[in-house]
Amino acid sequence: MKRALISLALGTFGLGVSEFVIMGILPYMAADFGVTIAKAGHFISSYALGVCTGAPLMVAIMRTWPLKRIVVTLMGIYILAAVAMSLCQEYYSMLAIRFMAGLPHGAYFGVGSIIADRLARGHKSTTAVAVMCLGMPVANLIGIPLGTFICQMASWHYIFAFSAVWGGVTLLCIWRFIPTMEALPDVGMRGQFRFLKSLAPWLLIGATLLGNGGVFSYFSYYAPLLTDYSGISPSLLPMMSVIAGAGMVCGNIAGGTFSDKIGPGHTGRALEIIIFFSLLSIFLFSHIAWCSILCMFLTTFCLFGVSSPQQLLLLRFSQGGEFLAGCMVQLAFNLGNALGAYFGGIPLTCGLTYNYTALPGFMMAAGGIVCYMIFCRRYERLAKNK
């Protein structure tokens, strides 16, 4: 089981690098393509659009396939996109390729969660899902700083070439270590959406969107907040990035562990409450450097701490539509990122200081807490018995 879960985690690491490394190398890509940084930022939006489009598309195409065949195919798409990005020389071609690179993202997490749950067979299922998801926070901790360093020393093309090689290694591990698993029951495309008639999945989707959106309302602008408002030297930003990444890794592990002990709903609610108070503290006290750093760690800790509980809970409450439900966490996550960054930017356009980016953030987190409170009251006991 461990080898299979690690194989899946290699894939989430590659997806994490592919999604997030772009944020650190935008100036270099903008210069090479001869566009503004703002226009190069469309590479981020194009990937997110691919994630949102790819999830239902992959469900429509692959829902009757054996699970191992699905993840092998998704990793193949990832490799092709990485090769294409490493060779691309034209702006609009890169936009199209970034869209292609996002297509397998949500489906990989969805199918990976189902495989991890089956491997665990109900015993420490959330921990198994957390191990599968571990590659994403590790990508933020070491993959993205390493990618930025490669870009500074050579070229951003080498980063995506590395991603292609990494994808090849991951594909071999998946082929070797993940056992053959039967396909999910075919309930038809309409049947995949039937679980959405219940309130429980909507509460979980809402909690994911609002919680992650709240964090990204602040985190999208954390670098200038630390330097321009908290008074931290720009030379220390790489260290701040490592601290944020460490929070993600620790949170991912802790979220899975506590979910198996006290229940995924209760764990998610507790972490959402910490997000709320962390963002409130950033708004009130981030002029104090140590407080700003501590709250940054706590928000990233909780950001990935809620990931595996949310992923598992949606699987538990989506009978017949597990494939689509597994994808929807990533849809809500990416939509929350986009909305959070938008709302967090509004105070800045009004001329307010960077601590105000957390103001819409803790308001969104409060909505996430309400979703979790309703869920825990009505469904948490049922979740433990599923």
Side-chain angles (χ1 to χ4, degrees):
M1 183 180 79
K2 290 182 178 179
R3 289 180 176 180
L5 292 175
I6 291 173
S7 298
L8 291 171
L10 294 178
T12 59
F13 176 87
L15 290 168
V17 171
S18 182
E19 180 178 15
F20 292 115
V21 76
I22 202 86
M23 298 176 185
I25 62 176
L26 273 183
Y28 304 96
M29 296 186 74
D32 280 0
F33 287 119
V35 298
T36 64
I37 293 179
K39 194 171 182 180
H42 294 162
F43 295 143
I44 300 172
S45 302
S46 182
Y47 188 96
L49 183 60
V51 174
C52 295
T53 305
L57 179 63
M58 298 303 167
V59 170
I61 296 173
M62 303 178 180
R63 67 180 186 276
T64 60
W65 293 10
L67 299 181
K68 183 175 180 178
R69 179 183 171 191
I70 295 175
V71 289
V72 166
T73 303
L74 294 173
M75 191 49 54
I77 297 172
Y78 165 84
I79 294 170
L80 289 175
V83 171
M85 285 188 289
S86 70
L87 299 174
C88 187
Q89 302 289 339
E90 197 269 330
Y91 173 77
Y92 290 102
S93 297
M94 178 59 84
L95 277 179
I97 297 168
R98 287 291 294 172
F99 176 84
M100 174 186 170
L103 291 176
H105 185 112
Y108 185 93
F109 275 86
V111 178
S113 299
I114 296 170
I115 293 175
D117 186 31
R118 286 192 177 183
L119 289 171
R121 297 179 181 176
H123 178 64
K124 295 186 176 181
S125 291
T126 319
T127 300
V129 174
V131 173
M132 185 275 298
C133 294
L134 184 61
M136 185 67 78
V138 172
N140 282 273
L141 176 62
I142 61 174
I144 294 172
L146 178 61
T148 305
F149 175 76
I150 292 172
C151 183
Q152 292 172 340
M153 294 297 102
S155 168
W156 58 266
H157 293 276
Y158 289 102
I159 299 170
F160 296 116
F162 165 81
S163 296
V165 174
W166 185 271
V169 173
T170 302
L171 185 60
L172 290 175
C173 291
I174 289 173
W175 187 268
R176 174 68 178 83
F177 297 120
I178 292 181
T180 300
M181 294 183 177
E182 62 183 15
L184 295 169
D186 184 15
V187 296
M189 192 61 192
R190 183 178 297 180
Q192 286 286 330
F193 292 88
R194 195 170 294 135
F195 73 96
L196 293 174
K197 294 180 179 179
S198 169
L199 177 62
W202 288 109
L203 290 171
L204 295 167
I205 292 168
T208 303
L209 189 152
L210 292 169
N212 291 320
V215 172
F216 272 87
S217 174
Y218 143 76
F219 195 64
S220 299
Y221 309 96
Y222 85 99
L225 182 146
L226 290 173
T227 57
D228 297 354
Y229 190 76
S230 302
I232 295 171
S233 170
S235 64
L236 295 177
L237 277 180
M239 182 182 297
M240 297 300 105
S241 177
V242 170
I243 292 174
M248 295 175 186
V249 173
C250 295
N252 183 79
I253 297 171
T257 302
F258 282 108
S259 291
D260 286 326
K261 290 183 178 180
I262 66 174
H266 292 315
T267 299
R269 180 178 58 184
L271 292 170
E272 198 83 10
I273 291 172
I274 296 174
I275 288 175
F276 173 84
F277 283 107
S278 296
L279 292 171
L280 180 60
S281 298
I282 289 169
F283 176 64
L284 296 175
F285 306 117
S286 58
H287 59 282
I288 305 171
W290 68 264
C291 182
S292 186
I293 296 171
L294 174 62
C295 290
M296 176 189 68
F297 177 87
L298 288 174
T299 54
T300 57
F301 179 95
C302 296
L303 176 68
F304 276 84
V306 297
S307 179
S308 54
Q310 290 165 343
Q311 198 88 39
L312 185 69
L313 282 171
L314 263 175
L315 291 180
R316 290 285 188 266
F317 287 90
S318 59
Q319 187 172 5
E322 291 89 349
F323 192 174
L324 181 63
C327 301
M328 292 196 76
V329 172
Q330 293 302 309
L331 292 180
F333 187 94
N334 279 271
L335 183 57
N337 293 356
L339 291 175
Y342 173 77
F343 289 126
I346 292 176
L348 301 181
T349 61
C350 296
L352 298 173
T353 51
Y354 282 103
N355 63 310
Y356 276 87
T357 59
L359 180 59
F362 69 74
M363 292 179 179
M364 294 179 76
I369 293 172
V370 172
C371 290
Y372 266 120
M373 289 180 68
I374 297 173
F375 177 86
C376 289
R377 185 171 183 176
R378 297 186 60 172
Y379 300 106
E380 178 70 356
R381 185 176 297 176
L382 179 61
K384 291 180 179 179
N385 295 328
K386 278 182 174 286

